Amino acid sequence: MSLLNIFALLIQHAVMCGIFAYYTYNVKKDLKQVLDNLFNGLKRLEYRGYDSAGIAVDAVDPLMSLSAADGSILEENGTSSPLIVKEVGKVSQLEKLTTETIAKHHLELDRLFQNQVGIAHTRWATHGIPSVVNSHPHISDPSAQFTVVHNGIITNYKMLKDFLLKQGEQFTSDTDTEVIPKLCRFVYDRLSEKVPFPKLVMEVMKKLEGAYAVLVKSVHYPGELVACKRGSPMILGVRENTSGQRQTSFKQLHEAGDKKWRDEAIECWVASDASAVVEHTKRVIVLEDNDVLHLASGGYGIYNTEQHDVEEAVPRVLLTLQMEVEQIMKGGYEHYMQKEIHEQPESLLQTMSGRVKFQRQAVGNPYLSPRIKLGGFAESAHTIKTSRRLMFIACGTSYHACLASRQTLEELCDMPVVLELASDLLDRRCPIFRDDACVFVSQSGETADTLMALEYAKDRGALCVGITNTVGSAISRLTHCGMHLNAGYEIGVASTKAYTSMIVSITMMALQLSEDSIGKREKRDQIIDELGQLPGKVRSALMLDEMMMQLALQLKEEHSLMFFARGRNYATALEAALKAKEVALIHSEGILAGEMKHGPLALVDEKLPIIVIATKDGMHKKMDSVIQQLLARAAKLLIVCNEGDEVMTAYEKQGCQLIKVPETVDALQPVINIIPLQLLSYHLTIIRGHNVDQPRNLAKAVTTSEEH
């Protein structure tokens, strides 16, 4: 089987879920504080899945099951099945049910725990409908000897399930996840002697095929937590209170059972996303594929199943998160999408910070002091420039950003630029050559089709470049070079600020690749000058917020919208239509105006609202002609145009509504043009009563794919 086919199996149905764990040792926390930690973590991850959720916490303090004499675990003393609560719907519904369950079982919320292992999960269904039975955590048996939460896909789960059924196991859910805890118990029951918890999980991992991040707790290993990952993201956050005489990390597997660790205090958080950790600690470890994390006895050890001696811990560097808590809060806004739209002046500035010299050089040789400096392209720029072609590969909003930037690349670099939807490239098995440069664009860096296309291109020897907003993501690790957007954390499912930062990033890439061209010098300088003005012009476009709300009130009962544009703004039409579809749930189409007479014109009448993008770029005259033809057919038009455009102002007398935005150079005009249309989609969604941050059937990063 080829590497690509193996990779396809790993992620073809990988589920976008959120997993979270809270571990304490010698830190006195009452049950309410533990639950608050778990619920807050899930709420931070709810954009990753929100059809159901669940938690599992220790009902008794695991430290009470430790012998004071030698620190050994007394098998029958103090062990207890965890408290497990699962519910369909949002985390708030799970929170309510947990409160009711605790009251029903007469548990004390103010009861202190010195040691606690809590795991939690928020789900986006793939295997089995959203239901309490299919929700995580999943257990091995009614006494919950092993409890598991899981993000990803077990591709061989049917084979494992058939095997376990023959061994007398009974399954209650339709998920692939349930095989994991049952396999843990199967392996445990057949061991001749008790082995360390991570070693048991390693044996189970040998049987699993797929992409996954898994958390496992067990009554047989009270006070311990094991996490493992392959293909799905996972980080460990650490907050420790040590004597200063040692590190809290184990060097060997057996050290977890050594009583010398008993006096230390530590809190740890394990999550599929940094947003769930940053409010507790900024000290994190990014786990790598095939890592097995063991939390026990006040310390942690990380082991890797691919290394020869799995009993030796592997070194992993404690990093400091560069994000702030404010980035994951709504900051006075009603919704994340609203906040992220209004953050765009700052996010664009962050994308350009340290990379653009806004002032022109007054004297001397301009080639000795480049105005664009992208460190990620420093060593590969020559290879990219001498490539047969530039191939941009992306999905959805990322693809639209590539489309908006393509003409700039062609004009500045004089290179053939090809755009590919990742899924379509894989369907066609598109030829890729060793002298191609393939650029993979993804906000999350986890997009399944884009990752599969990346492996496909690497297998064929192409230079692979990554552009992503997520540091440490799969795309940033697997590509040869690239850049991060630095747009800041984006939580709303519908991408907004990442889209505009992608356009600016690809534009900066074109500017750097063309820096040695004398003939392009003036055009480059004009674009760079306008980059400096862009945040202010975006801020001006955001002043249309009230107007867009009024326009949304006019359009709230419409069943369809059409967006007409051409040139660079064809991408604006597609992106605006996508936003209306995914959050406002209105059927919308982005139409290339040059193709208007080849079918779309048949739909035009006095009832269908049409938004025309006709700013003063190279397509201005052609779009003027399009408007005239639409008006000749009694079209109901809204026109996005530049301030002071007298040609477009004249159409107000014919009943057209104008959306006036600031003017900039052609290469950057799509960044400004999309702003009011993002605001329109936001207000349409709110007015129509839909959830703008968590639209129906969608999750933030598309980690599911069809089989290729």
Side-chain angles (χ1 to χ4, degrees), residues 37-86:
N37 253 280
L38 294 175
F39 291 135
N40 287 338
L42 285 185
K43 287 172 183 176
R44 299 285 180 245
L45 298 172
E46 198 166 16
Y47 73 92
R48 297 180 68 94
Y50 36 88
D51 60 43
S52 57
I55 60 165
V57 295
D58 287 323
V60 300
D61 192 333
L63 277 184
M64 300 304 175
S65 66
L66 299 178
S67 164
D70 59 5
S72 63
I73 294 175
L74 303 179
E75 293 289 332
E76 302 301 324
N77 180 24
T79 61
S80 172
S81 299
L83 172 68
I84 297 174
V85 186
K86 306 194 288 186

Short mmCIF file of all heavy atoms in Angstrom, two decimals, residues 37-86:
data_model
loop_
_atom_site.label_atom_id
_atom_site.label_comp_id
_atom_site.label_asym_id
_atom_site.label_seq_id
_atom_site.Cartn_x
_atom_site.Cartn_y
_atom_site.Cartn_z
N ASN A 37 -13.36 23.40 35.85
CA ASN A 37 -12.22 23.25 34.94
C ASN A 37 -12.62 22.48 33.69
O ASN A 37 -12.30 22.88 32.56
CB ASN A 37 -11.08 22.52 35.65
CG ASN A 37 -9.93 23.43 36.00
OD1 ASN A 37 -9.10 23.75 35.17
ND2 ASN A 37 -9.90 23.86 37.26
N LEU A 38 -13.33 21.38 33.88
CA LEU A 38 -13.73 20.54 32.75
C LEU A 38 -14.74 21.25 31.85
O LEU A 38 -14.60 21.24 30.61
CB LEU A 38 -14.32 19.22 33.25
CG LEU A 38 -13.35 18.28 33.98
CD1 LEU A 38 -14.10 17.07 34.51
CD2 LEU A 38 -12.22 17.84 33.06
N PHE A 39 -15.72 21.90 32.45
CA PHE A 39 -16.74 22.58 31.65
C PHE A 39 -16.15 23.77 30.88
O PHE A 39 -16.48 23.99 29.72
CB PHE A 39 -17.91 23.04 32.52
CG PHE A 39 -18.73 21.90 33.07
CD1 PHE A 39 -19.13 21.88 34.39
CD2 PHE A 39 -19.11 20.86 32.25
CE1 PHE A 39 -19.89 20.83 34.90
CE2 PHE A 39 -19.88 19.79 32.74
CZ PHE A 39 -20.26 19.79 34.07
N ASN A 40 -15.29 24.53 31.54
CA ASN A 40 -14.65 25.66 30.86
C ASN A 40 -13.80 25.18 29.70
O ASN A 40 -13.77 25.79 28.62
CB ASN A 40 -13.81 26.48 31.84
CG ASN A 40 -14.66 27.30 32.80
OD1 ASN A 40 -15.82 27.57 32.51
ND2 ASN A 40 -14.11 27.67 33.93
N GLY A 41 -13.07 24.06 29.92
CA GLY A 41 -12.27 23.50 28.84
C GLY A 41 -13.13 23.09 27.67
O GLY A 41 -12.79 23.36 26.50
N LEU A 42 -14.26 22.45 27.94
CA LEU A 42 -15.15 22.03 26.86
C LEU A 42 -15.75 23.23 26.12
O LEU A 42 -15.91 23.20 24.90
CB LEU A 42 -16.28 21.16 27.42
CG LEU A 42 -15.91 19.73 27.81
CD1 LEU A 42 -17.15 18.96 28.21
CD2 LEU A 42 -15.20 19.01 26.67
N LYS A 43 -16.08 24.29 26.86
CA LYS A 43 -16.65 25.47 26.21
C LYS A 43 -15.63 26.11 25.27
O LYS A 43 -16.00 26.66 24.22
CB LYS A 43 -17.12 26.47 27.26
CG LYS A 43 -18.39 26.02 27.97
CD LYS A 43 -18.75 26.92 29.14
CE LYS A 43 -19.98 26.39 29.86
NZ LYS A 43 -20.32 27.18 31.07
N ARG A 44 -14.35 26.07 25.65
CA ARG A 44 -13.30 26.60 24.76
C ARG A 44 -13.16 25.75 23.50
O ARG A 44 -12.74 26.24 22.46
CB ARG A 44 -11.96 26.63 25.50
CG ARG A 44 -11.95 27.50 26.73
CD ARG A 44 -11.91 28.97 26.38
NE ARG A 44 -11.92 29.78 27.59
CZ ARG A 44 -12.89 30.60 27.95
NH1 ARG A 44 -13.96 30.71 27.18
NH2 ARG A 44 -12.82 31.31 29.05
N LEU A 45 -13.52 24.47 23.61
CA LEU A 45 -13.36 23.55 22.49
C LEU A 45 -14.67 23.28 21.75
O LEU A 45 -14.69 22.47 20.82
CB LEU A 45 -12.80 22.21 23.00
CG LEU A 45 -11.42 22.26 23.65
CD1 LEU A 45 -11.09 20.90 24.27
CD2 LEU A 45 -10.35 22.64 22.64
N GLU A 46 -15.73 23.96 22.15
CA GLU A 46 -17.05 23.61 21.61
C GLU A 46 -17.15 23.89 20.12
O GLU A 46 -17.97 23.29 19.43
CB GLU A 46 -18.15 24.36 22.37
CG GLU A 46 -19.51 23.75 22.19
CD GLU A 46 -20.53 24.27 23.20
OE1 GLU A 46 -20.27 25.31 23.83
OE2 GLU A 46 -21.59 23.64 23.35
N TYR A 47 -16.30 24.79 19.60
CA TYR A 47 -16.31 25.04 18.16
C TYR A 47 -15.85 23.81 17.38
O TYR A 47 -16.08 23.68 16.18
CB TYR A 47 -15.41 26.24 17.82
CG TYR A 47 -13.94 25.96 17.92
CD1 TYR A 47 -13.23 25.52 16.82
CD2 TYR A 47 -13.26 26.13 19.12
CE1 TYR A 47 -11.87 25.25 16.90
CE2 TYR A 47 -11.92 25.87 19.22
CZ TYR A 47 -11.22 25.43 18.11
OH TYR A 47 -9.89 25.16 18.20
N ARG A 48 -15.17 22.86 18.06
CA ARG A 48 -14.68 21.64 17.41
C ARG A 48 -15.77 20.56 17.34
O ARG A 48 -15.56 19.52 16.71
CB ARG A 48 -13.47 21.09 18.16
CG ARG A 48 -12.27 22.00 18.17
CD ARG A 48 -11.11 21.39 18.92
NE ARG A 48 -10.57 20.23 18.24
CZ ARG A 48 -9.54 20.26 17.39
NH1 ARG A 48 -8.95 21.41 17.12
NH2 ARG A 48 -9.11 19.16 16.82
N GLY A 49 -16.88 20.78 17.98
CA GLY A 49 -17.96 19.81 17.97
C GLY A 49 -18.99 20.16 19.02
O GLY A 49 -18.63 20.46 20.15
N TYR A 50 -20.27 20.11 18.64
CA TYR A 50 -21.27 20.58 19.59
C TYR A 50 -22.59 19.85 19.44
O TYR A 50 -23.66 20.41 19.65
CB TYR A 50 -21.48 22.10 19.44
CG TYR A 50 -21.40 22.63 18.01
CD1 TYR A 50 -22.52 22.66 17.19
CD2 TYR A 50 -20.20 23.08 17.50
CE1 TYR A 50 -22.44 23.14 15.89
CE2 TYR A 50 -20.10 23.56 16.21
CZ TYR A 50 -21.23 23.59 15.40
OH TYR A 50 -21.14 24.06 14.11
N ASP A 51 -22.52 18.54 19.06
CA ASP A 51 -23.79 17.80 19.03
C ASP A 51 -24.02 16.99 20.31
O ASP A 51 -25.12 16.57 20.60
CB ASP A 51 -23.89 16.91 17.79
CG ASP A 51 -22.78 15.87 17.70
OD1 ASP A 51 -22.46 15.25 18.72
OD2 ASP A 51 -22.24 15.66 16.60
N SER A 52 -22.94 16.76 21.09
CA SER A 52 -23.08 16.08 22.37
C SER A 52 -21.80 16.27 23.16
O SER A 52 -20.76 16.66 22.60
CB SER A 52 -23.38 14.59 22.17
OG SER A 52 -22.37 13.98 21.39
N ALA A 53 -21.85 15.98 24.45
CA ALA A 53 -20.67 16.16 25.30
C ALA A 53 -20.77 15.25 26.51
O ALA A 53 -21.85 14.75 26.84
CB ALA A 53 -20.55 17.63 25.74
N GLY A 54 -19.62 15.04 27.16
CA GLY A 54 -19.62 14.19 28.35
C GLY A 54 -18.38 14.38 29.19
O GLY A 54 -17.36 14.91 28.71
N ILE A 55 -18.46 13.96 30.46
CA ILE A 55 -17.32 14.06 31.38
C ILE A 55 -17.22 12.78 32.21
O ILE A 55 -18.20 12.04 32.35
CB ILE A 55 -17.45 15.27 32.35
CG1 ILE A 55 -18.72 15.13 33.20
CG2 ILE A 55 -17.41 16.58 31.60
CD1 ILE A 55 -18.75 16.04 34.40
N ALA A 56 -16.03 12.55 32.73
CA ALA A 56 -15.82 11.48 33.72
C ALA A 56 -14.87 12.02 34.78
O ALA A 56 -13.79 12.51 34.44
CB ALA A 56 -15.25 10.23 33.06
N VAL A 57 -15.26 11.96 36.05
CA VAL A 57 -14.42 12.43 37.14
C VAL A 57 -14.35 11.36 38.22
O VAL A 57 -15.22 10.49 38.31
CB VAL A 57 -14.95 13.75 37.76
CG1 VAL A 57 -14.88 14.89 36.76
CG2 VAL A 57 -16.38 13.58 38.27
N ASP A 58 -13.31 11.44 39.04
CA ASP A 58 -13.19 10.49 40.14
C ASP A 58 -14.24 10.79 41.20
O ASP A 58 -14.42 11.94 41.62
CB ASP A 58 -11.79 10.58 40.77
CG ASP A 58 -10.72 9.98 39.86
OD1 ASP A 58 -11.02 8.97 39.21
OD2 ASP A 58 -9.61 10.53 39.81
N ALA A 59 -14.92 9.74 41.63
CA ALA A 59 -15.93 9.90 42.68
C ALA A 59 -15.31 9.90 44.07
O ALA A 59 -15.86 10.44 45.02
CB ALA A 59 -16.97 8.79 42.57
N VAL A 60 -14.14 9.23 44.20
CA VAL A 60 -13.39 9.26 45.45
C VAL A 60 -11.98 9.73 45.15
O VAL A 60 -11.51 9.65 44.02
CB VAL A 60 -13.34 7.87 46.13
CG1 VAL A 60 -14.73 7.38 46.45
CG2 VAL A 60 -12.61 6.86 45.26
N ASP A 61 -11.30 10.23 46.17
CA ASP A 61 -9.94 10.74 45.98
C ASP A 61 -8.98 9.56 45.80
O ASP A 61 -8.83 8.74 46.71
CB ASP A 61 -9.53 11.56 47.20
CG ASP A 61 -8.26 12.37 46.97
OD1 ASP A 61 -7.45 11.95 46.12
OD2 ASP A 61 -8.10 13.40 47.62
N PRO A 62 -8.31 9.45 44.63
CA PRO A 62 -7.37 8.34 44.41
C PRO A 62 -6.26 8.27 45.44
O PRO A 62 -5.72 7.20 45.71
CB PRO A 62 -6.82 8.61 43.01
CG PRO A 62 -7.89 9.40 42.33
CD PRO A 62 -8.47 10.27 43.41
N LEU A 63 -5.87 9.41 46.04
CA LEU A 63 -4.80 9.38 47.04
C LEU A 63 -5.21 8.57 48.28
O LEU A 63 -4.36 8.08 49.01
CB LEU A 63 -4.42 10.80 47.46
CG LEU A 63 -3.44 11.56 46.57
CD1 LEU A 63 -3.08 12.90 47.18
CD2 LEU A 63 -2.17 10.75 46.32
N MET A 64 -6.53 8.44 48.49
CA MET A 64 -7.00 7.67 49.64
C MET A 64 -6.75 6.17 49.46
O MET A 64 -6.83 5.40 50.40
CB MET A 64 -8.50 7.91 49.85
CG MET A 64 -8.85 9.35 50.13
SD MET A 64 -7.94 10.00 51.55
CE MET A 64 -8.44 11.72 51.52
N SER A 65 -6.45 5.76 48.22
CA SER A 65 -6.20 4.35 47.96
C SER A 65 -4.71 4.02 48.00
O SER A 65 -4.29 2.94 47.63
CB SER A 65 -6.76 3.95 46.59
OG SER A 65 -6.05 4.63 45.56
N LEU A 66 -3.88 4.98 48.45
CA LEU A 66 -2.44 4.76 48.55
C LEU A 66 -2.07 4.36 49.97
O LEU A 66 -2.50 4.98 50.94
CB LEU A 66 -1.68 6.02 48.15
CG LEU A 66 -1.91 6.51 46.71
CD1 LEU A 66 -1.13 7.79 46.48
CD2 LEU A 66 -1.48 5.46 45.71
N SER A 67 -1.27 3.34 50.08
CA SER A 67 -0.79 2.91 51.39
C SER A 67 0.20 3.93 51.93
O SER A 67 1.12 4.34 51.24
CB SER A 67 -0.12 1.53 51.28
OG SER A 67 0.65 1.27 52.43
N ALA A 68 0.03 4.32 53.18
CA ALA A 68 0.96 5.28 53.78
C ALA A 68 2.34 4.67 53.98
O ALA A 68 3.34 5.36 54.06
CB ALA A 68 0.41 5.77 55.12
N ALA A 69 2.39 3.34 54.04
CA ALA A 69 3.66 2.68 54.32
C ALA A 69 4.63 2.73 53.14
O ALA A 69 5.77 3.15 53.28
CB ALA A 69 3.40 1.23 54.73
N ASP A 70 4.18 2.29 51.98
CA ASP A 70 5.13 2.20 50.87
C ASP A 70 4.64 2.85 49.59
O ASP A 70 5.30 2.78 48.56
CB ASP A 70 5.48 0.73 50.59
CG ASP A 70 4.23 -0.08 50.24
OD1 ASP A 70 3.14 0.52 50.12
OD2 ASP A 70 4.36 -1.30 50.09
N GLY A 71 3.50 3.47 49.63
CA GLY A 71 3.01 4.15 48.43
C GLY A 71 2.40 3.22 47.40
O GLY A 71 2.02 3.66 46.33
N SER A 72 2.28 1.94 47.68
CA SER A 72 1.71 1.02 46.70
C SER A 72 0.19 1.16 46.66
O SER A 72 -0.44 1.58 47.62
CB SER A 72 2.09 -0.42 47.04
OG SER A 72 1.54 -0.77 48.30
N ILE A 73 -0.38 0.80 45.54
CA ILE A 73 -1.83 0.91 45.38
C ILE A 73 -2.51 -0.33 45.97
O ILE A 73 -2.15 -1.46 45.66
CB ILE A 73 -2.19 1.05 43.90
CG1 ILE A 73 -1.65 2.38 43.37
CG2 ILE A 73 -3.68 0.96 43.68
CD1 ILE A 73 -1.86 2.57 41.89
N LEU A 74 -3.46 -0.10 46.85
CA LEU A 74 -4.23 -1.21 47.41
C LEU A 74 -5.42 -1.45 46.50
O LEU A 74 -6.30 -0.60 46.36
CB LEU A 74 -4.70 -0.86 48.83
CG LEU A 74 -3.57 -0.51 49.83
CD1 LEU A 74 -4.17 -0.16 51.17
CD2 LEU A 74 -2.59 -1.68 49.94
N GLU A 75 -5.45 -2.61 45.86
CA GLU A 75 -6.40 -2.88 44.78
C GLU A 75 -7.86 -2.68 45.19
O GLU A 75 -8.66 -2.15 44.44
CB GLU A 75 -6.21 -4.30 44.26
CG GLU A 75 -4.89 -4.52 43.55
CD GLU A 75 -4.87 -3.81 42.22
OE1 GLU A 75 -5.93 -3.62 41.62
OE2 GLU A 75 -3.77 -3.43 41.78
N GLU A 76 -8.22 -3.15 46.39
CA GLU A 76 -9.62 -3.13 46.77
C GLU A 76 -9.98 -2.00 47.73
O GLU A 76 -11.09 -1.89 48.18
CB GLU A 76 -10.00 -4.48 47.41
CG GLU A 76 -9.76 -5.69 46.52
CD GLU A 76 -10.53 -5.61 45.23
OE1 GLU A 76 -11.67 -5.09 45.25
OE2 GLU A 76 -10.01 -6.04 44.20
N ASN A 77 -9.02 -1.15 48.06
CA ASN A 77 -9.27 -0.12 49.07
C ASN A 77 -9.43 1.24 48.41
O ASN A 77 -8.47 1.81 47.91
CB ASN A 77 -8.11 -0.09 50.06
CG ASN A 77 -8.32 0.97 51.12
OD1 ASN A 77 -9.44 1.37 51.39
ND2 ASN A 77 -7.23 1.42 51.73
N GLY A 78 -10.60 1.73 48.38
CA GLY A 78 -10.80 3.09 47.90
C GLY A 78 -11.03 3.22 46.42
O GLY A 78 -11.32 4.31 45.96
N THR A 79 -10.88 2.14 45.66
CA THR A 79 -11.12 2.26 44.22
C THR A 79 -12.61 2.40 43.98
O THR A 79 -13.44 1.84 44.69
CB THR A 79 -10.57 1.05 43.46
OG1 THR A 79 -11.23 -0.12 43.91
CG2 THR A 79 -9.08 0.93 43.64
N SER A 80 -12.95 3.12 42.95
CA SER A 80 -14.36 3.38 42.67
C SER A 80 -14.52 3.72 41.21
O SER A 80 -13.63 4.31 40.59
CB SER A 80 -14.87 4.54 43.53
OG SER A 80 -16.16 4.92 43.15
N SER A 81 -15.65 3.32 40.64
CA SER A 81 -15.93 3.70 39.26
C SER A 81 -16.09 5.21 39.18
O SER A 81 -16.58 5.84 40.12
CB SER A 81 -17.22 3.02 38.78
OG SER A 81 -17.09 1.62 38.81
N PRO A 82 -15.69 5.81 38.08
CA PRO A 82 -15.82 7.27 37.96
C PRO A 82 -17.27 7.69 37.79
O PRO A 82 -18.13 6.90 37.39
CB PRO A 82 -15.00 7.58 36.70
CG PRO A 82 -15.06 6.32 35.90
CD PRO A 82 -15.06 5.20 36.89
N LEU A 83 -17.53 8.92 38.11
CA LEU A 83 -18.82 9.52 37.83
C LEU A 83 -18.82 9.97 36.37
O LEU A 83 -17.98 10.77 35.96
CB LEU A 83 -19.06 10.73 38.74
CG LEU A 83 -20.30 11.57 38.42
CD1 LEU A 83 -21.57 10.78 38.72
CD2 LEU A 83 -20.28 12.88 39.19
N ILE A 84 -19.73 9.41 35.57
CA ILE A 84 -19.79 9.71 34.14
C ILE A 84 -21.14 10.34 33.82
O ILE A 84 -22.19 9.81 34.19
CB ILE A 84 -19.58 8.44 33.30
CG1 ILE A 84 -18.19 7.85 33.56
CG2 ILE A 84 -19.75 8.74 31.81
CD1 ILE A 84 -17.95 6.52 32.89
N VAL A 85 -21.09 11.48 33.17
CA VAL A 85 -22.31 12.18 32.76
C VAL A 85 -22.18 12.52 31.28
O VAL A 85 -21.17 13.08 30.85
CB VAL A 85 -22.55 13.47 33.57
CG1 VAL A 85 -23.90 14.07 33.21
CG2 VAL A 85 -22.47 13.19 35.07
N LYS A 86 -23.22 12.19 30.48
CA LYS A 86 -23.21 12.46 29.04
C LYS A 86 -24.56 13.05 28.65
O LYS A 86 -25.59 12.71 29.22
CB LYS A 86 -22.95 11.18 28.25
CG LYS A 86 -21.69 10.44 28.68
CD LYS A 86 -21.27 9.38 27.67
CE LYS A 86 -22.17 8.18 27.67
NZ LYS A 86 -21.65 7.11 26.78
#
